[in-house]
Amino acid sequence: MKIYNIQNLSFSYDEKCLIFENINLQLDTNKITLLNGINGSGKTTFCRLLSGLEKKYKGRISLGYRELSKLSSAEISDKIVYLKQESFANIIAATPSEDIAIWKHKFQNKISHEFEKEQLEALKEYNLEQFKDQPFWEMSGGQIKRVGLAGLLLNMDKYWILDEPVTGLENALIDILINILQKRKTEGKGALIISHRFEKFEQIVDNWLKIKDKKIIDIK
Amino acid sequence: MKLNLRTILIIVIMITSLSVIYQNIVVQIGLLIISIFLLLIVQPSKHKLFRILHRLKNIAKIILTLMIFQVLFRRAGEIYWQWGIIQITSVGLNYGLVSSLRFFLIIIIAGLLFDIPYYDYLLAFHKWKIPYEISFLVASVIHFIPIFAQKFQRSNEALLLRGIDLKKLPIIKRFRAYLTLLFPILAGAISQVRYRAISLELRAFRLYNERTFLYEAKLRWFDYVIQVFIFTFFLLVLITL
């Protein structure tokens, strides 16, 4: 089954300089795809398009069977999670526990006791339990990145889009992420990963894509 | 038309001052028309106009609410209409209309300062013989405003990615969400200022009394003409009204 079906996609920020031109691509729900390309080739822009943050594109992007630009943020976030490259860009609240809680309450609902347990488990997975109430501005870039990754664990049933998820992480933590991705894969849950450190993901990746000359090409 | 920043600053200061001095609807409408005209001729761009329209759209509800409060609850002068405790008086109506027009005018005239590089402010203040520490401080604040807006935009995107649309939240929950967003943004901004201070220290900021600039922002003939014109206009309005 396809999570994304992209047809004739073209995109530019200012109508002068095209970033993508006539892209045709499909992404499988249950496969792990690795995307790379040189700096400034449009990797992050591609993620922004897939996550519905950029809506003024030409062509079609279908998420499931529906046109992405017509979906609300709630409908998109029901199906996918996008972890941005900059660690601070994934953060909303002042502390990790508060930030993780927003995944659940969304300023609408109350948090159950079970969720608090789940929240703590997610933080524990990335060795963050001792920092759970520490303000973000007193944490390092790597620690903040880990909070973003911990948030993913509350969204195991969704398709993940990860932009440079291992930058600034030590090897042991990269291994934790790879194990999680591996486990998800066996459950039929895929991901799109953007990373220059492809040697780290070599064992779990199904498709290799590269952005070159405004196109996305299959390289393996 | 590309004007020197000093000319633009003089225009902004003069028009804003007149708007603050006069509590008169005709003056406010006149100044508003002049501001719109200036916006269309001084370095016009689609992007700039779009940003101003977006800003006006966002703030219009607040301005209109303030106007209604002023009109209904400021009680002085002739009573035009009354229903129970609610009154519309001449002074209330005047205050309501003038203050909302003034808000719109400030937003529009501030549009002239959009997209002006931070370095140009340093050059302009240097020419006006403002001490470098002060001009650097003012220019830094101006430089910081878009950074702050960008941080807010980034947090808003993080909310959207979690399926939370601020515009769709009920008002009390929306207020709670804003508070949650605001605190880390402010703290992050303060910490960024601290890094900036360290960075300045590392570059031996103000080690020498004088600094040089890579280029000069010279006034051209039409800058002089416009400056004379705007000063004359300012004085004429002050004398005649």
Side-chain angles (χ1 to χ4, degrees):
Chain A
M1 193 187 161
K2 309 292 176 197
I3 178 92
Y4 282 105
N5 190 1
I6 299 164
Q7 291 170 313
N8 305 320
L9 172 72
S10 295
F11 180 76
S12 74
Y13 282 107
D14 57 4
E15 291 174 5
K16 285 176 195 158
C17 176
L18 263 184
I19 295 170
F20 296 117
E21 195 174 13
N22 269 332
I23 306 267
N24 289 291
L25 184 75
Q26 290 185 328
L27 294 173
D28 293 302
T29 312
N30 56 354
K31 287 191 175 155
I32 295 181
T33 306
L34 190 98
L35 173 71
N36 64 27
I38 56 167
N39 294 144
S41 57
K43 300 184 292 295
T44 298
T45 301
F46 188 61
C47 293
R48 291 179 64 82
L49 284 162
L50 294 187
S51 59
L53 291 177
E54 299 297 339
K55 290 187 189 281
K56 289 179 182 168
Y57 55 83
K58 287 179 185 158
R60 266 184 79 86
I61 304 177
S62 307
L63 175 61
Y65 296 105
R66 295 177 66 194
E67 174 57 37
L68 187 72
S69 60
K70 288 181 183 146
L71 297 177
S72 69
S73 56
E75 286 169 318
I76 296 169
S77 73
D78 262 353
K79 292 191 166 64
I80 62 138
V81 185
Y82 166 34
L83 189 76
K84 287 187 180 180
Q85 181 180 4
E86 284 177 274
S87 27
F88 251 111
N90 300 305
I91 299 306
I92 295 168
T95 64
S97 56
E98 207 184 326
D99 192 76
I100 296 273
I102 294 173
W103 278 111
K104 190 73 180 178
H105 66 61
K106 301 190 175 191
F107 301 103
Q108 300 271 21
N109 318 307
K110 286 195 171 160
I111 297 176
S112 63
H113 186 63
E114 289 79 48
F115 179 74
E116 281 175 18
K117 225 171 122 186
E118 202 182 329
Q119 180 187 18
L120 199 65
E121 285 301 314
L123 290 169
K124 258 187 193 168
E125 188 74 43
Y126 285 99
N127 306 329
L128 284 164
E129 65 272 35
Q130 71 270 37
F131 304 111
K132 71 183 176 71
D133 297 317
Q134 188 161 327
F136 281 117
W137 51 93
E138 289 175 8
M139 291 169 76
S140 73
Q143 284 170 331
I144 298 168
K145 187 114 198 171
R146 276 148 62 188
V147 178
L149 290 169
L152 291 175
L153 301 178
L154 306 165
N155 294 283
M156 290 296 273
D157 54 334
K158 298 173 189 171
Y159 184 80
W160 290 0
I161 299 172
L162 312 177
D163 192 354
E164 299 286 2
V166 296
T167 311
L169 287 189
E170 64 200 56
N171 280 335
L173 294 166
I174 298 176
D175 291 342
I176 293 175
L177 176 65
I178 288 173
N179 286 338
I180 293 167
L181 286 166
Q182 180 82 63
K183 189 176 159 241
R184 274 169 49 88
K185 198 175 152 182
T186 58
E187 292 163 1
K189 308 280 187 310
L192 172 71
I193 302 167
I194 287 169
S195 182
H196 291 288
R197 301 194 57 188
F198 37 84
E199 80 284 356
K200 290 281 172 198
F201 297 98
E202 211 166 8
Q203 291 170 352
I204 56 165
V205 168
D206 301 295
N207 300 318
W208 297 68
L209 303 174
K210 186 174 184 173
I211 301 181
K212 200 180 174 194
D213 303 329
K214 301 168 194 170
K215 303 273 185 203
I216 297 181
I217 49 173
D218 206 330
I219 55 173
K220 201 173 176 183
Chain B
M1 186 194 285
K2 190 170 174 14
L3 293 179
N4 188 290
L5 177 59
R6 276 178 281 164
T7 312
I8 296 176
L9 283 170
I10 289 170
I11 294 173
V12 172
I13 293 167
M14 294 292 171
I15 290 187
T16 317
S17 306
L18 286 177
S19 172
V20 173
I21 294 168
Y22 291 100
Q23 197 63 35
N24 180 317
I25 295 173
V26 179
V27 173
Q28 298 297 336
I29 292 174
L31 292 172
L32 194 65
I33 292 169
I34 293 171
S35 306
I36 294 170
F37 174 70
L38 286 169
L39 197 69
L40 295 173
I41 60 159
V42 179
Q43 285 162 263
S45 74
K46 256 191 204 172
H47 169 69
K48 194 197 268 187
L49 293 176
F50 178 77
R51 272 174 71 189
I52 293 166
L53 284 175
H54 183 71
R55 202 168 278 190
L56 286 173
K57 191 182 135 200
N58 282 346
I59 210 157
K61 272 187 201 162
I62 300 169
I63 296 176
L64 290 176
T65 312
L66 288 175
M67 185 182 89
I68 292 166
F69 271 90
Q70 293 264 24
V71 170
L72 295 181
F73 298 108
R74 196 176 272 270
R75 289 160 183 200
E78 196 184 332
I79 300 171
Y80 291 146
W81 182 78
Q82 185 163 17
W83 185 66
I85 55 160
I86 299 168
Q87 281 182 354
I88 294 181
T89 64
S90 57
V91 173
L93 199 61
N94 188 55
Y95 262 94
L97 289 171
V98 166
S99 54
S100 30
L101 285 170
R102 190 178 287 143
F103 269 122
F104 283 123
L105 180 135
I106 289 169
I107 293 167
I108 289 169
I109 202 74
L112 291 179
L113 298 170
F114 278 177
D115 303 328
I116 291 176
Y118 145 86
Y119 192 74
D120 284 11
Y121 285 94
L122 290 180
L123 285 172
F125 295 149
H126 176 68
K127 284 282 178 194
W128 278 341
K129 308 278 180 230
I130 293 171
Y132 185 66
E133 285 82 353
I134 296 173
S135 51
F136 182 79
L137 197 76
V138 175
S140 298
V141 170
I142 293 165
H143 177 63
F144 197 65
I145 294 166
I147 295 175
F148 195 76
Q150 204 179 18
K151 279 181 186 291
F152 191 79
Q153 172 67 18
R154 204 174 60 179
S155 298
N156 194 30
E157 277 188 0
L159 280 175
L160 286 173
L161 290 172
R162 296 190 196 190
I164 306 161
D165 191 344
L166 278 176
K167 288 175 198 157
K168 288 181 185 162
L169 282 177
I171 191 86
I172 293 175
K173 284 168 181 167
R174 195 188 306 178
F175 183 68
R176 198 181 134 208
Y178 273 122
L179 276 183
T180 310
L181 287 188
L182 203 62
F183 198 53
I185 291 174
L186 281 176
I190 292 166
S191 109
Q192 200 166 348
V193 169
R194 201 179 55 189
Y195 288 128
R196 202 175 158 86
I198 294 169
S199 173
L200 285 172
E201 292 289 326
L202 288 172
R203 291 173 201 195
F205 182 71
R206 303 308 286 143
L207 181 66
Y208 302 106
N209 288 331
E210 285 299 313
R211 64 154 290 179
T212 53
F213 290 90
L214 201 57
Y215 63 91
E216 253 189 290
K218 283 185 182 164
L219 293 174
R220 283 182 280 182
W221 65 268
F222 50 82
D223 283 300
Y224 289 108
V225 172
I226 291 170
Q227 285 188 19
V228 170
F229 177 78
I230 196 89
F231 270 117
T232 317
F233 172 74
F234 183 74
L235 288 173
L236 271 177
V237 174
L238 282 183
I239 293 163
T240 52
L241 294 175

